[in-house]
């Protein structure tokens, strides 16, 4: 599994429009086989930073989603909304390998 971690630099006065954009992508990612972990918007921090996290079973599955998103009408509407409302200044994607289950045994074995 891979998790895509996206940091966005958004226009501070367009946080509400960014939230509309983010809410649209949650079901779109899930439509193409991903698991969306949510968008995280500015609160008590920098007013131009937002984050999104979503996972796919593999990098190949993510790449398939990306290809399909360029053909899907709802995805295109979301891209258009962001562009027309000028809500994202820039974004960066990072791919991470999630650790989702806890286990104390490896720690105890390493400490023995």
């Amino acid at each position: 599994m891979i998790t895509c971690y996206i940091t966005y630099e958004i226009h501070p006065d367009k946080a509400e429009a960014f939230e509309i954009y983010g809410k649209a992508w949650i079901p779109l990612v899930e439509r193409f086989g991903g698991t969306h972990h949510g968008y995280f918007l500015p609160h008590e921090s920098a007013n131009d930073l937002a984050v999104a996290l979503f996972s796919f079973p593999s990098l190949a599955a993510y790449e398939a989603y990306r290809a399909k998103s360029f053909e899907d009408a709802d995805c295109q509407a979301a891209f258009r909304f962001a562009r027309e409302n000028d809500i994202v200044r820039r974004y960066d994607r990072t791919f991470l390998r999630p650790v989702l289950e806890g286990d104390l045994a490896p720690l105890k074995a390493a400490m023995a």
Side-chain angles (χ1 to χ4, degrees):
M1 176 180 285
I2 59 103
T3 296
C4 185
Y5 170 79
I6 305 177
T7 56
Y8 295 91
E9 182 183 335
I10 65 172
H11 288 278
D13 60 343
K14 301 202 176 175
E16 288 180 23
F18 184 83
E19 186 169 350
I20 292 168
Y21 173 77
K23 286 181 175 182
W25 277 105
I26 292 170
L28 293 173
V29 165
E30 292 172 353
R31 176 186 295 175
F32 294 104
T35 300
H36 211 295
H37 307 293
Y39 280 82
F40 301 85
L41 305 177
H43 185 62
E44 294 294 328
S45 60
N47 67 354
D48 65 348
L49 174 68
V51 173
L53 293 114
F54 54 89
S55 298
F56 277 88
S58 66
L59 189 56
Y62 168 80
E63 291 170 350
Y65 144 76
R66 287 281 292 169
K68 291 174 186 172
S69 74
F70 292 115
E71 299 173 3
D72 182 85
D74 292 332
C75 293
Q76 289 306 303
F79 289 135
R80 189 171 53 255
F81 178 82
R83 192 172 48 253
E84 290 174 358
N85 288 281
D86 195 30
I87 58 177
V88 177
R89 290 180 178 157
R90 65 177 294 237
Y91 68 93
D92 294 300
R93 283 185 303 227
T94 302
F95 295 95
L96 306 168
R97 180 181 52 86
V99 176
L100 302 172
E101 296 178 7
D103 185 356
L104 288 171
L107 173 67
K108 290 179 180 181
M111 300 298 289

